[in-house]
Amino acid sequence: MKRTAVIGAVVLASGLLGAAPAGAAVGPHCQEDGYCLFSGEGFGGTKAVLPADYGCHRVSSLGFSPARSAARGYGDGTAPALYSDATCATHPTYVYDEVPSTSALSYRLLPIPG
């Protein structure tokens, strides 16, 4: 039973992280290096470009909270995971392209398997 759970978790994680190649298309809402978070849904409000920095970061460090939408820029090799708590503990939403509606209080950049 335990082995099945571990295998299932690995398959699920592989599917989530492998959903888009490292060279996925740039989103029209973030023509920047890296990824963008927005204070409004549908890419409205204040836009912040995520620093290329690993580790858990509070969205409030970007000048607003929560992030209500997110988009891919020109960054390759990483994808942000958005979390609904401030400590990157809850299951994330991954930003490979565009996320028009979310409610994220923290984020973490993760390498995209190539």
Side-chain angles (χ1 to χ4, degrees), residues 34-84:
Y35 289 85
C36 299
L37 296 183
F38 300 83
S39 63
E41 288 188 355
F43 317 105
T46 302
K47 175 175 78 172
V49 179
L50 299 183
D53 192 11
Y54 290 98
C56 180
H57 304 280
R58 291 176 183 252
V59 170
S60 60
S61 69
L62 302 171
F64 56 84
S65 190
R68 304 303 263 157
S69 53
R72 178 184 177 82
Y74 294 103
D76 281 333
T78 63
L82 305 178
Y83 299 85
S84 61

